[in-house]
Amino acid sequence: MIKKAVVPVIHEFGTYLFVPDLELYHAFINYYVNNVEDSYNHYITDRHGRKFKFWSKPGGLRNPKTNELAFEYILSWKDAIGASKCHIVVKPLFGPGTKTKTGQILNLPEIGTNIEVQCSYFELHDILDIYEDILKAIGATRFEHSIDCKRSRIFHMARHVRYHERHEPEVVYMLKGIKNNSSMRGDVDLVEKVRSGKYDMYKIDLPSFDVCNIETDFVHSVKSYRIKNFLERTASDPLRHPKLEVFLNSKEHKRIYGKYPTIDEFLQIEKDLDRLLASLLNFVGPIE
């Protein structure tokens, strides 16, 4: 007998990759100055044929040597429907005493290059492959193994499954139970939006999963939600149906533990999110 299993997928993922060498930032400057003729129409292509638009803009930090705003370098790609996307911003870190564009002094502890990544439907290994491809394109492969994993942080990570809308009452009933239990234990934030009797969004931040007898290793939130135009779609269209998503609550994690998780903890977070998601689905009962 063939058994079907629901397999979670990563949705949104955000990380700060830290390279403890300011020369990587200078490599981006050098490439831009010598290779970009049209600042509105320059692309770098990765190994899968994805064309990342590449441009620069003044950032929010001043170069301490010139007191001028340091430029940031951006690479951005999205698929034809805008569901899968990847946005990368390369920024300099000038260390203690750095001034912002408004003159405020930041006590940044690091000197190096910060690579901020925000993406959808990309795993960490996908991001690292793209990083390697970009380095190859700009002639900076010497930095291929320079990411400091212990000082690179994850600020967003979500895993979800899509389920049939016939199960929505049970899912939302469970989430309401979690919300009610969390309200009696302390703070809780709730977003509840209903469209034509169906839940556009039911999101709980700062939840306690004790009522479901679930323990997690990291701090997570949960939501059931739909695509914006779901009412225009037929029941046979998968995009009409809601998703149950669990995601890292990085701000609360930082408040409790003093810092965001590192990318060394990526697989631990992924397993923790999947375990939470499976437990919630099991709590609801058979679901498709």
Side-chain angles (χ1 to χ4, degrees), residues 1 18 42 71 95 158 168 187 189 194 220 223 239 276 284-285:
M1 182 177 66
F18 173 66
H42 188 88
F71 277 72
E168 186 176 62
D187 297 337
D189 294 328
V194 179
H220 304 309
K223 64 182 178 181
L239 294 180
L276 171 59
V284 173

Side-chain angles (χ1 to χ4, degrees), residues 217-234:
D217 297 328
F218 297 85
V219 182
H220 304 309
S221 297
V222 60
K223 64 182 178 181
S224 178
Y225 69 108
R226 283 185 169 89
I227 196 170
K228 289 182 179 180
N229 64 346
F230 74 93
L231 288 173
E232 301 171 15
R233 300 176 180 272
T234 65

Side-chain angles (χ1 to χ4, degrees), residues 29-76:
I29 295 176
N30 183 66
Y31 175 81
Y32 188 87
V33 170
N34 293 296
N35 295 275
V36 178
E37 296 180 357
D38 183 351
S39 58
Y40 296 98
N41 193 34
H42 188 88
Y43 295 86
I44 290 177
T45 304
D46 75 355
R47 67 190 66 181
H48 300 290
R50 291 180 291 237
K51 297 177 65 176
F52 284 76
K53 187 173 183 180
F54 179 65
W55 74 97
S56 70
K57 67 178 182 65
L61 301 179
R62 295 188 179 278
N63 186 322
K65 293 182 177 181
T66 65
N67 201 37
E68 299 292 332
L69 287 179
F71 277 72
E72 298 175 350
Y73 295 88
I74 301 99
L75 297 107
S76 190

